[in-house]
PDB file of all heavy atoms in Angstrom:
ATOM      1  N   TYR A 629     -12.257  -6.835   6.838  1.00 98.00           N
ATOM      2  CA  TYR A 629     -12.320  -7.620   5.608  1.00 98.00           C
ATOM      3  C   TYR A 629     -11.450  -6.980   4.529  1.00 98.00           C
ATOM      4  O   TYR A 629     -10.788  -7.679   3.763  1.00 98.00           O
ATOM      5  CB  TYR A 629     -13.772  -7.697   5.133  1.00 98.00           C
ATOM      6  CG  TYR A 629     -13.987  -8.427   3.821  1.00 98.00           C
ATOM      7  CD1 TYR A 629     -14.223  -9.797   3.789  1.00 98.00           C
ATOM      8  CD2 TYR A 629     -13.990  -7.740   2.601  1.00 98.00           C
ATOM      9  CE1 TYR A 629     -14.438 -10.465   2.598  1.00 98.00           C
ATOM     10  CE2 TYR A 629     -14.198  -8.390   1.402  1.00 98.00           C
ATOM     11  CZ  TYR A 629     -14.420  -9.749   1.405  1.00 98.00           C
ATOM     12  OH  TYR A 629     -14.630 -10.413   0.211  1.00 98.00           O
ATOM     13  N   TRP A 630     -11.465  -5.650   4.465  1.00 97.00           N
ATOM     14  CA  TRP A 630     -10.694  -4.931   3.447  1.00 97.00           C
ATOM     15  C   TRP A 630      -9.250  -4.724   3.884  1.00 97.00           C
ATOM     16  O   TRP A 630      -8.444  -4.207   3.118  1.00 97.00           O
ATOM     17  CB  TRP A 630     -11.343  -3.580   3.150  1.00 97.00           C
ATOM     18  CG  TRP A 630     -12.791  -3.678   2.847  1.00 97.00           C
ATOM     19  CD1 TRP A 630     -13.824  -3.147   3.556  1.00 97.00           C
ATOM     20  CD2 TRP A 630     -13.390  -4.363   1.745  1.00 97.00           C
ATOM     21  NE1 TRP A 630     -15.019  -3.472   2.981  1.00 97.00           N
ATOM     22  CE2 TRP A 630     -14.786  -4.221   1.865  1.00 97.00           C
ATOM     23  CE3 TRP A 630     -12.873  -5.113   0.681  1.00 97.00           C
ATOM     24  CZ2 TRP A 630     -15.670  -4.787   0.954  1.00 97.00           C
ATOM     25  CZ3 TRP A 630     -13.758  -5.673  -0.221  1.00 97.00           C
ATOM     26  CH2 TRP A 630     -15.141  -5.503  -0.084  1.00 97.00           C
ATOM     27  N   GLU A 631      -8.924  -5.097   5.102  1.00 98.00           N
ATOM     28  CA  GLU A 631      -7.572  -4.921   5.630  1.00 98.00           C
ATOM     29  C   GLU A 631      -6.858  -6.278   5.659  1.00 98.00           C
ATOM     30  O   GLU A 631      -6.159  -6.635   4.720  1.00 98.00           O
ATOM     31  CB  GLU A 631      -7.642  -4.297   7.023  1.00 98.00           C
ATOM     32  CG  GLU A 631      -6.288  -3.888   7.602  1.00 98.00           C
ATOM     33  CD  GLU A 631      -6.444  -3.130   8.916  1.00 98.00           C
ATOM     34  OE1 GLU A 631      -7.379  -2.315   9.035  1.00 98.00           O
ATOM     35  OE2 GLU A 631      -5.620  -3.354   9.819  1.00 98.00           O
ATOM     36  N   SER A 632      -7.064  -7.051   6.703  1.00 98.00           N
ATOM     37  CA  SER A 632      -6.372  -8.336   6.801  1.00 98.00           C
ATOM     38  C   SER A 632      -6.915  -9.365   5.819  1.00 98.00           C
ATOM     39  O   SER A 632      -6.226 -10.319   5.467  1.00 98.00           O
ATOM     40  CB  SER A 632      -6.470  -8.877   8.228  1.00 98.00           C
ATOM     41  OG  SER A 632      -7.787  -9.284   8.540  1.00 98.00           O
ATOM     42  N   GLY A 633      -8.165  -9.170   5.363  1.00 98.00           N
ATOM     43  CA  GLY A 633      -8.740 -10.112   4.404  1.00 98.00           C
ATOM     44  C   GLY A 633      -7.971 -10.200   3.104  1.00 98.00           C
ATOM     45  O   GLY A 633      -7.984 -11.236   2.430  1.00 98.00           O
ATOM     46  N   VAL A 634      -7.266  -9.115   2.752  1.00 98.00           N
ATOM     47  CA  VAL A 634      -6.488  -9.097   1.510  1.00 98.00           C
ATOM     48  C   VAL A 634      -5.389 -10.154   1.541  1.00 98.00           C
ATOM     49  O   VAL A 634      -5.092 -10.786   0.520  1.00 98.00           O
ATOM     50  CB  VAL A 634      -5.896  -7.696   1.271  1.00 98.00           C
ATOM     51  CG1 VAL A 634      -4.908  -7.701   0.111  1.00 98.00           C
ATOM     52  CG2 VAL A 634      -7.011  -6.696   1.002  1.00 98.00           C
ATOM     53  N   ILE A 635      -4.785 -10.370   2.704  1.00 98.00           N
ATOM     54  CA  ILE A 635      -3.703 -11.348   2.789  1.00 98.00           C
ATOM     55  C   ILE A 635      -4.184 -12.691   3.358  1.00 98.00           C
ATOM     56  O   ILE A 635      -3.378 -13.579   3.594  1.00 98.00           O
ATOM     57  CB  ILE A 635      -2.534 -10.815   3.640  1.00 98.00           C
ATOM     58  CG1 ILE A 635      -3.017 -10.476   5.044  1.00 98.00           C
ATOM     59  CG2 ILE A 635      -1.887  -9.623   2.961  1.00 98.00           C
ATOM     60  CD1 ILE A 635      -1.894 -10.256   6.022  1.00 98.00           C
ATOM     61  N   HIS A 636      -5.491 -12.811   3.553  1.00 98.00           N
ATOM     62  CA  HIS A 636      -6.061 -14.078   4.025  1.00 98.00           C
ATOM     63  C   HIS A 636      -7.207 -14.535   3.127  1.00 98.00           C
ATOM     64  O   HIS A 636      -8.324 -14.779   3.595  1.00 98.00           O
ATOM     65  CB  HIS A 636      -6.554 -13.937   5.459  1.00 98.00           C
ATOM     66  CG  HIS A 636      -5.464 -13.757   6.459  1.00 98.00           C
ATOM     67  ND1 HIS A 636      -4.468 -14.697   6.655  1.00 98.00           N
ATOM     68  CD2 HIS A 636      -5.190 -12.742   7.317  1.00 98.00           C
ATOM     69  CE1 HIS A 636      -3.650 -14.277   7.593  1.00 98.00           C
ATOM     70  NE2 HIS A 636      -4.047 -13.097   8.012  1.00 98.00           N
ATOM     71  N   PRO A 637      -6.945 -14.689   1.821  1.00 98.00           N
ATOM     72  CA  PRO A 637      -8.026 -15.155   0.941  1.00 98.00           C
ATOM     73  C   PRO A 637      -8.489 -16.560   1.306  1.00 98.00           C
ATOM     74  O   PRO A 637      -9.626 -16.934   1.016  1.00 98.00           O
ATOM     75  CB  PRO A 637      -7.382 -15.126  -0.449  1.00 98.00           C
ATOM     76  CG  PRO A 637      -5.916 -15.264  -0.191  1.00 98.00           C
ATOM     77  CD  PRO A 637      -5.676 -14.524   1.094  1.00 98.00           C
ATOM     78  N   ASP A 638      -7.616 -17.326   1.949  1.00 98.00           N
ATOM     79  CA  ASP A 638      -7.997 -18.666   2.376  1.00 98.00           C
ATOM     80  C   ASP A 638      -9.088 -18.621   3.446  1.00 98.00           C
ATOM     81  O   ASP A 638     -10.008 -19.451   3.448  1.00 98.00           O
ATOM     82  CB  ASP A 638      -6.775 -19.424   2.889  1.00 98.00           C
ATOM     83  CG  ASP A 638      -5.996 -18.653   3.946  1.00 98.00           C
ATOM     84  OD1 ASP A 638      -5.833 -17.426   3.795  1.00 98.00           O
ATOM     85  OD2 ASP A 638      -5.546 -19.274   4.926  1.00 98.00           O
ATOM     86  N   LEU A 639      -9.015 -17.641   4.345  1.00 98.00           N
ATOM     87  CA  LEU A 639     -10.039 -17.519   5.379  1.00 98.00           C
ATOM     88  C   LEU A 639     -11.365 -17.026   4.789  1.00 98.00           C
ATOM     89  O   LEU A 639     -12.437 -17.456   5.217  1.00 98.00           O
ATOM     90  CB  LEU A 639      -9.566 -16.574   6.477  1.00 98.00           C
ATOM     91  CG  LEU A 639      -8.344 -17.039   7.277  1.00 98.00           C
ATOM     92  CD1 LEU A 639      -7.990 -16.018   8.347  1.00 98.00           C
ATOM     93  CD2 LEU A 639      -8.605 -18.408   7.909  1.00 98.00           C
ATOM     94  N   ILE A 640     -11.278 -16.123   3.805  1.00 98.00           N
ATOM     95  CA  ILE A 640     -12.499 -15.669   3.120  1.00 98.00           C
ATOM     96  C   ILE A 640     -13.141 -16.845   2.391  1.00 98.00           C
ATOM     97  O   ILE A 640     -14.358 -17.043   2.439  1.00 98.00           O
ATOM     98  CB  ILE A 640     -12.180 -14.524   2.144  1.00 98.00           C
ATOM     99  CG1 ILE A 640     -11.691 -13.282   2.902  1.00 98.00           C
ATOM    100  CG2 ILE A 640     -13.412 -14.170   1.303  1.00 98.00           C
ATOM    101  CD1 ILE A 640     -11.265 -12.136   2.011  1.00 98.00           C
TER     102      ILE A 640
END
Side-chain angles (χ1 to χ4, degrees):
Y629 177 90
W630 309 117
E631 188 173 321
S632 70
V634 171
I635 59 167
H636 291 300
D638 52 319
L639 296 181
I640 295 176

